[in-house]
Amino acid sequence: MKEFKLNNIPKIQSGFKTPDETYFENFTNNFLNELPKQEPKTISLFQKKKSIIMLVAAIFILALTIPSLLTNTNKRNELDTITLENYLSYQSNINQYDLINVLDEEDIKNIDQDIQLKDQTIEDILISNNNLENYILE
């Protein structure tokens, strides 16, 4: 390997130079001269009209969209009874005891209905269904 001599190799010139001697003495004067002069603020009459028109338009849009959004969210949150019944009937891992544990007293009162079947209806069901043991066990 070659012998490396730091002082003998030509060095790369730096891109930075020191400023003139009077640079820092005149810096504040030069800086203040380059600043833009302050001009008084002018407020356009049309700008106020535009902001009022924009405000009225925004209120009008909100007044039209909020009721439709509220009705759409209420419809989505309600469960359809047919959908709920289909879901429960096709879920094989849900049994009657699971449903009983989830229901509270108010739900049970809502479910409680007096169903009055005529004797003829009961006979028709028993005749048409051969599996009577399920009715006895339930």
Side-chain angles (χ1 to χ4, degrees):
M1 184 171 184
K2 281 186 174 181
E3 186 177 324
F4 181 71
K5 295 182 181 179
L6 187 61
N7 294 330
N8 294 341
I9 297 176
K11 298 179 183 176
I12 299 173
Q13 295 278 333
S14 172
F16 299 105
K17 296 180 183 177
T18 56
D20 297 334
E21 294 175 8
T22 60
Y23 176 77
F24 290 108
E25 294 171 1
N26 298 329
F27 180 75
T28 56
N29 293 333
N30 292 337
F31 182 74
L32 291 175
N33 288 335
E34 291 179 8
L35 285 177
K37 297 195 169 48
Q38 292 181 353
E39 297 179 8
K41 293 183 179 180
T42 57
I43 299 174
S44 174
L45 296 176
F46 297 114
Q47 185 178 7
K48 286 185 180 180
K49 287 182 182 178
K50 286 181 184 177
S51 63
I52 291 172
I53 291 172
M54 295 284 281
L55 180 65
V56 169
I59 291 172
F60 182 71
I61 290 172
L62 286 174
L64 290 178
T65 56
I66 288 176
S68 65
L69 290 175
L70 291 176
T71 56
N72 288 342
T73 55
N74 288 343
K75 288 180 183 176
R76 291 180 188 153
N77 291 338
E78 294 176 1
L79 282 177
D80 185 22
T81 56
I82 297 171
T83 307
L84 184 60
E85 286 176 7
N86 289 336
Y87 175 77
L88 292 176
S89 64
Y90 291 119
Q91 296 298 319
S92 62
N93 58 352
I94 297 176
N95 58 21
Q96 61 188 2
Y97 300 109
D98 292 336
L99 293 176
I100 291 171
N101 289 333
V102 175
L103 296 176
D104 58 355
E105 291 179 22
E106 187 175 322
D107 293 332
I108 294 171
K109 288 178 184 176
N110 291 337
I111 293 173
D112 187 23
Q113 295 178 358
D114 292 331
I115 300 175
Q116 297 179 0
L117 294 175
K118 296 181 181 177
D119 292 336
Q120 182 65 34
T121 310
I122 295 173
E123 287 177 7
D124 290 340
I125 291 172
L126 291 175
I127 289 171
S128 65
N129 193 351
N130 294 334
N131 196 0
L132 297 177
E133 292 177 1
N134 285 339
Y135 290 116
I136 295 171
L137 291 176
E138 289 182 10

